[in-house]
Amino acid sequence: MRQFLAITSLLLAIVAAGQGNLTISGYVKDASTGETMIGANVYARETMTGATTNTYGYYVLNLPPGRYTVVMSYVGYEDHVQEVDLKEDLKLNITAKVKVITAKEFEVVGEKNKNTEGTQMGTVELDVQKLSTLPALLGEVDILKTIQYLPGVQSNGEGNSGFYVRGGGPDQNLILLDNATVYNASHLFGFFSVFNADAVKNIELIKGGMPANYGGRTSSVLDITMKDGNDKGFHGQGGIGLISSRLTLEGPLVKDKGSFILSGRRTYIDVLAKPFINPEGAFAGSGYYFYDLNAKANYRLSDKDRFFLSGYFGRDVFDLSGSEPGSPDFRIPWGNATVSGRWNHVFGPKLFLNTTVIYSDYQFSFKGGQDDFTFGLSSGIKDYGLKLDFNQYPSVRHNLKYGFNYTYHIYTPSTVDVASGDTEFAIDTPSKLRAHELAAYVQDEYDVTDLLRVNAGVRLSYFAHVGNFREYQLNEEGVSTGIREYGPGDVIKAYAGLEPRLSMRYTTGPSSSVKASFNRNLQFVHLASFSSIGLPTDVWIPSGTNVKPQIAYQYAIGYFRNFWEDKYEASVEVYYKDMLNQIEYKEGTQPQDGGNTNYDALLTFGKGWSYGAEFFLKRRLGKFTGWTGYTWSKTMRRFPEVNEGREFPSRWDRRHDLSVVAGYELNDRWTFGATFVYSTGQATTLPVQRYFIEGRVVSQFSERNGFRMAPYHRLDFAATLKNKPTKQVRDKLTGEVSTVQRRYRSSWTFAVYNAYNRANPYFYYFTTEGTSAAGDLRPVAKQVSLFSILPSITWNFRF
């Protein structure tokens, strides 16, 4: 109670401190599309007092009465300059026009000195429009693969879209699509992400200094915002590639008041492969495809109220069946569905509210059989949520955020069905797991002086695992001796905790600053994985009686500098992270082992730690742009029941990780891109010796993850050719020839993946060569590589 009263008194004092000022507030929008602009800078030229638009394009300037020149600036847009006489609170909506000729930033959106002025560390915003100029696997533009080029972010191997941040696992990344959690962000067993770049407006990655308004994960936040749709006119875009096609349509519901966007994508691997499959062969009925659909609509009821409804639906389907008697027959569908309903309300110029109602569903199932034997496996997680997020701008030195989140989780653990003919095996269906998760937060970004800015916040989290639930009473050998039943709403286990967040920036010069941050994060959901590549069989489970919440403490400090007239940005960040209550499956556990036991009986628990240094250099302006990122890091784990209790490298431990991204705009038609990556080989466990004992091969394994695969490196190229942006038109009456902009635009992207044909290891396996009779029988390790040099071509269009 005392803490609550102290925080309330502090908030009231902050609000009272700004009562003497007037405000200039409003929205910043793109003049041609009506899309609100995130991160645009609005400032008064006389005082250089500025503000940045929030996720919905809203800004507030706090100023004393007087005459001002208000300027809006944003890379790639003309500066909007307007004189105002501030005598009372002023509503000023700004429309921004794209520059006809501009030195373009290649990848990361922002204004000069934004790199050095903000308090957040390890935060990057990606420009979606530039993704198509980067080389991509089979021509598929991929948001998740793009963020793997950033320092501190590691890939999970050849072609995989999974990413790992500062030593954390895949479940420790909070992935949001319009505020809804996406639990499985990949298609094709991890080779492509579920996000269609044509439907995305903004991408923000936070890998350090996580603000208090985010929670539930311990490593990072990937916050993806969908486009709202063009409220000026009907437009479309799409593309045809080697394995998939996509189409996006957008337009006004009511001009200048509401709009929609609809975007779809589907692969045709199954269609292209069908002519090459023998209809009488063993796998005549086999096929694989994925599809996804994004939809969004919004309507502005007034200057104070705006409504949004957005959704995503995606599925992967893998079939295997044959025409021959006794052939296996199975079907594996899995995918996500999300729905977000949002209401923006402006109570007054200094108070902005966003209310979000959320639905998220991830389901995996396997159904298969052979002859009279059938086997089924399913799992999933479903969320219902509510978020209230307030933005308050009490004074020029304070930017307050506070709010409340609630989520009701329904987990489906691995559920097994087995039958042989008319006989069904007695495997109990595991209880669905239910949990309530609540959080309240408050944070203030405060300019203590002109040189020192502090972002301080705290998040109070609560999690309760509740019934209905059937708990098996297990003895020391793990054998069930009875069952305890929990009724609806009964609290089985509850956890609560404070999550302090602190970050600060001290300006050391006109273009440089030092930043530091500290985070304590709690995570109540866990991903139990049987592999290192993020397969659909991975199972989400809640904290409970034996599964404690994951806890992470992260400390970071960095130096940030812009130079050469802000054409270049550079930074060095050093971090240390402690991770408690990490989970793994016990050695030897299989996905089908979840029957007739508790969901946590197959798990073991331990801790981890990671530390490293990240170096980043970016050229942001000019025809030649791009960046170089390098990370040195070490990530370790220790589990009492693994590796005899000794510490061992995490599967995500990479000592060296280097990425080089470059782009060159030759003219208004040709753009070239290239990427190069290098990383230390993945840690894995392999046999170090093999013996032949009485005709049998006996293996002696290394310590856990005691073997390193060969280093991974790859070079990719891409070239994009656009059609001419203008055309000549002759007037039928006068005969005069004029130059006009083309309404229809198209481009061809030619790419080469793995240009020098590097055989990167995907996994190793062991076989034997020779015979025991000849006395030359010996074990041999062999490497499996997935992709050799792969050319691709994609046709993109826009109208």
Side-chain angles (χ1 to χ4, degrees):
M1 187 65 180
R2 290 181 179 178
Q3 290 94 339
F4 176 78
L5 292 175
I7 293 174
T8 303
S9 301
L10 178 62
L11 292 177
L12 292 174
I14 291 171
V15 172
Q19 293 303 310
N21 287 335
L22 298 175
T23 62
I24 302 174
S25 62
Y27 292 88
V28 178
K29 299 182 179 181
D30 185 297
S32 60
T33 66
E35 288 272 1
T36 56
M37 296 171 59
I38 302 171
N41 286 325
V42 184
Y43 62 93
R45 182 176 290 169
E46 288 77 8
T47 64
M48 294 306 293
T49 300
T52 301
T53 55
N54 67 10
T55 306
Y56 303 95
Y58 186 76
Y59 76 94
V60 175
L61 287 177
N62 282 282
L63 296 166
R67 300 185 65 86
Y68 297 97
T69 304
V70 177
V71 181
M72 187 288 304
S73 63
Y74 195 82
V75 168
Y77 287 78
E78 297 177 359
D79 285 356
H80 177 94
V81 182
Q82 186 168 343
E83 303 286 341
V84 299
D85 187 2
L86 189 59
K87 298 179 180 179
E88 58 184 3
D89 290 340
L90 176 65
K91 190 76 173 179
L92 181 62
N93 293 327
I94 297 172
T95 55
K97 297 180 180 178
V98 176
K99 287 183 181 178
V100 177
I101 300 174
T102 180
K104 296 181 180 178
E105 180 181 11
F106 181 70
E107 180 74 16
V108 184
V109 175
E111 281 296 326
K112 65 179 183 179
N113 290 337
K114 187 176 181 180
N115 177 53
T116 61
E117 289 182 353
T119 57
Q120 286 189 345
M121 301 181 64
T123 301
V124 183
E125 293 182 9
L126 305 180
D127 182 1
V128 185
Q129 300 304 317
K130 303 304 176 185
L131 297 184
S132 60
T133 64
L134 291 177
L137 176 62
L138 296 175
E140 288 295 303
V141 175
D142 196 309
I143 291 171
L144 297 188
K145 287 194 180 71
T146 302
I147 68 172
Q148 293 172 3
Y149 297 131
L150 299 170
V153 183
Q154 298 168 347
S155 73
N156 194 32
E158 180 72 88
N160 201 283
S161 63
F163 68 100
Y164 309 92
V165 178
R166 293 183 172 178
D171 62 324
Q172 296 174 358
N173 303 314
L174 177 63
I175 302 177
L176 300 173
L177 180 63
D178 275 358
N179 274 349
T181 302
V182 177
Y183 282 97
N184 187 306
S186 62
H187 286 304
L188 192 57
F189 302 101
F191 289 108
F192 301 106
S193 77
V194 301
F195 304 111
N196 183 352
D198 289 347
V200 172
K201 175 166 69 173
N202 189 71
I203 308 164
E204 183 180 42
L205 174 68
I206 304 172
K207 52 189 174 137
M210 191 184 298
N213 54 306
Y214 294 108
R217 299 296 186 275
T218 57
S219 277
S220 74
V221 178
L222 182 63
D223 196 349
I224 300 173
T225 305
M226 288 175 56
K227 292 178 180 177
D228 298 330
N230 193 316
D231 67 6
K232 305 293 184 183
F234 183 80
H235 294 275
Q237 69 180 95
I240 300 175
L242 291 179
I243 66 167
S244 74
S245 292
R246 64 191 193 279
L247 178 64
T248 300
L249 301 174
E250 57 182 324
L253 295 172
V254 178
K255 191 172 183 179
D256 296 328
K257 295 197 71 174
S259 61
F260 75 92
I261 184 170
L262 185 66
S263 184
R265 176 177 61 161
R266 190 194 191 278
T267 60
Y268 27 73
I269 304 172
D270 54 331
V271 178
L272 295 178
K274 193 170 184 178
F276 303 99
I277 298 177
N278 184 357
E280 304 298 327
F283 304 109
S286 303
Y288 170 84
Y289 63 91
F290 71 75
Y291 62 89
D292 42 42
L293 177 69
N294 296 81
K296 189 173 183 177
N298 73 91
Y299 185 77
R300 180 170 58 85
L301 191 62
S302 67
D303 283 342
K304 291 188 174 183
D305 295 282
R306 191 172 183 181
F307 296 92
F308 302 81
L309 181 64
S310 58
Y312 166 84
F313 183 83
R315 280 292 181 271
D316 290 64
V317 179
F318 181 38
D319 291 295
L320 177 64
S321 61
S323 59
E324 298 179 358
S327 297
D329 186 356
F330 63 80
R331 181 178 177 86
I332 311 175
W334 72 93
N336 301 275
T338 67
V339 179
S340 300
R342 289 178 290 169
W343 167 47
N344 290 171
H345 179 69
V346 180
F347 287 98
K350 294 186 178 184
L351 184 58
F352 181 94
L353 167 67
N354 178 62
T355 302
T356 310
V357 178
I358 299 163
Y359 170 80
S360 178
D361 183 28
Y362 169 70
Q363 298 294 329
F364 164 81
S365 67
F366 173 99
K367 291 291 183 182
Q370 188 171 11
D371 297 327
D372 291 335
F373 179 79
T374 61
F375 176 79
L377 178 68
S378 61
S379 64
I381 180 171
K382 187 177 295 184
D383 286 352
Y384 301 89
L386 173 67
K387 293 184 179 181
L388 298 175
D389 297 296
F390 292 88
N391 265 146
Q392 189 165 2
Y393 310 87
S395 71
V396 67
R397 289 190 176 273
H398 292 274
N399 183 353
L400 281 174
K401 291 183 179 181
Y402 48 92
F404 168 82
N405 302 338
Y406 168 74
T407 304
Y408 178 56
H409 302 283
I410 303 175
Y411 304 81
T412 303
S414 291
T415 303
V416 180
D417 298 307
V418 181
S420 181
D422 295 331
T423 303
E424 294 187 2
F425 292 88
I427 300 177
D428 292 344
T429 299
S431 299
K432 288 185 181 293
L433 310 174
R434 296 169 175 84
H436 301 288
E437 184 173 359
L438 300 93
Y441 71 89
V442 59
Q443 74 174 36
D444 180 26
E445 187 167 76
Y446 173 41
D447 286 328
V448 182
T449 69
D450 291 340
L451 299 179
L452 179 61
R453 176 179 294 175
V454 175
N455 188 319
V458 64
R459 184 180 182 92
L460 175 61
S461 300
Y462 173 82
F463 185 91
H465 178 202
V466 298
N468 287 349
F469 181 64
R470 181 191 301 116
E471 182 180 44
Y472 292 91
Q473 306 296 307
L474 305 178
N475 60 22
E476 294 181 357
E477 287 75 32
V479 178
S480 176
T481 59
I483 294 177
R484 179 180 178 182
E485 297 281 353
Y486 290 88
D490 290 350
V491 176
I492 302 163
K493 184 66 177 180
Y495 296 95
L498 285 175
E499 303 176 59
R501 314 286 176 82
L502 178 66
S503 58
M504 59 187 67
R505 176 230 68 203
Y506 185 80
T507 301
T508 56
S511 298
S512 63
S513 64
V514 174
K515 302 181 185 182
S517 67
F518 166 75
N519 280 34
R520 183 180 191 264
N521 294 59
L522 298 177
Q523 179 170 330
F524 301 102
V525 297
H526 315 260
L527 186 65
S529 176
F530 288 98
S531 73
S532 63
I533 59 175
L535 294 177
T537 51
D538 297 345
V539 179
W540 289 93
I541 59 175
S543 296
T545 304
N546 298 315
V547 183
K548 297 179 180 179
Q550 297 183 54
I551 304 174
Y553 298 87
Q554 184 174 176
Y555 313 82
I557 188 169
Y559 178 70
F560 299 76
R561 184 177 180 84
N562 296 351
F563 49 95
W564 286 356
E565 298 180 346
D566 295 309
K567 288 184 179 180
Y568 289 86
E569 293 181 3
S571 64
V572 179
E573 295 187 47
V574 179
Y575 70 89
Y576 181 87
K577 183 194 293 186
D578 263 326
M579 295 167 280
L580 308 179
N581 304 329
Q582 305 298 288
I583 73 167
E584 293 274 0
Y585 276 116
K586 294 177 181 178
E587 298 191 77
T589 302
Q590 298 297 321
Q592 64 270 22
D593 293 342
N596 293 345
T597 191
N598 296 324
Y599 73 93
D600 56 11
L602 308 178
L603 303 175
T604 184
F605 309 96
K607 64 179 182 178
W609 58 95
S610 180
Y611 53 89
E614 301 169 0
F615 302 84
F616 188 56
L617 175 65
K618 180 187 66 170
R619 179 181 168 93
R620 58 189 294 274
L621 297 173
K623 285 185 172 293
F624 180 79
T625 52
W627 73 83
T628 297
Y630 170 74
T631 304
W632 183 97
S633 63
K634 187 173 184 179
T635 303
M636 304 297 288
R637 296 286 191 270
R638 177 180 284 134
F639 287 75
E641 297 183 36
V642 176
N643 204 44
E644 297 180 349
R646 297 190 300 270
E647 66 180 49
F648 58 90
S650 164
R651 70 184 75 167
W652 307 295
D653 178 52
R654 305 282 195 279
R655 196 69 69 248
H656 304 283
D657 196 280
L658 172 69
S659 299
V660 180
V661 178
Y664 182 72
E665 187 176 351
L666 181 64
N667 50 44
D668 60 0
R669 298 195 65 192
W670 279 102
T671 302
F672 299 92
T675 59
F676 173 77
V677 294
Y678 173 92
S679 66
T680 301
Q682 182 174 321
T684 187
T685 306
L686 292 178
V688 291
Q689 290 185 351
R690 285 195 166 186
Y691 305 96
F692 294 95
I693 302 176
E694 297 180 354
R696 295 184 300 110
V697 178
V698 179
S699 300
Q700 179 182 344
F701 286 86
S702 68
E703 291 192 346
R704 184 71 171 260
N705 295 337
F707 179 84
R708 287 282 177 181
M709 293 185 180
Y712 181 95
H713 51 90
R714 193 189 74 242
L715 176 66
D716 307 328
F717 292 109
T720 300
L721 174 63
K722 302 175 184 177
N723 69 341
K724 293 182 178 180
T726 60
K727 63 180 180 178
Q728 303 292 320
V729 177
R730 184 182 300 274
D731 190 288
K732 294 182 179 180
L733 297 178
T734 65
E736 292 183 0
V737 177
S738 60
T739 301
V740 298
Q741 294 287 325
R742 290 182 183 271
R743 182 179 178 185
Y744 300 93
R745 300 296 309 275
S746 66
S747 66
W748 291 92
T749 298
F750 311 92
V752 178
Y753 181 90
N754 196 7
Y756 54 80
N757 202 28
R758 161 73 173 176
N760 285 302
Y762 190 62
F763 65 84
Y764 296 104
Y765 72 95
F766 284 81
T767 185
T768 57
E769 292 183 354
T771 64
S772 56
D776 61 350
L777 184 64
R778 64 190 184 279
V780 177
K782 294 192 176 183
Q783 172 183 305
V784 174
S785 300
L786 283 184
F787 301 117
S788 59
I789 182 170
L790 282 177
S792 64
I793 182 171
T794 306
W795 179 60
N796 300 299
F797 59 88
R798 182 187 299 268
F799 59 88

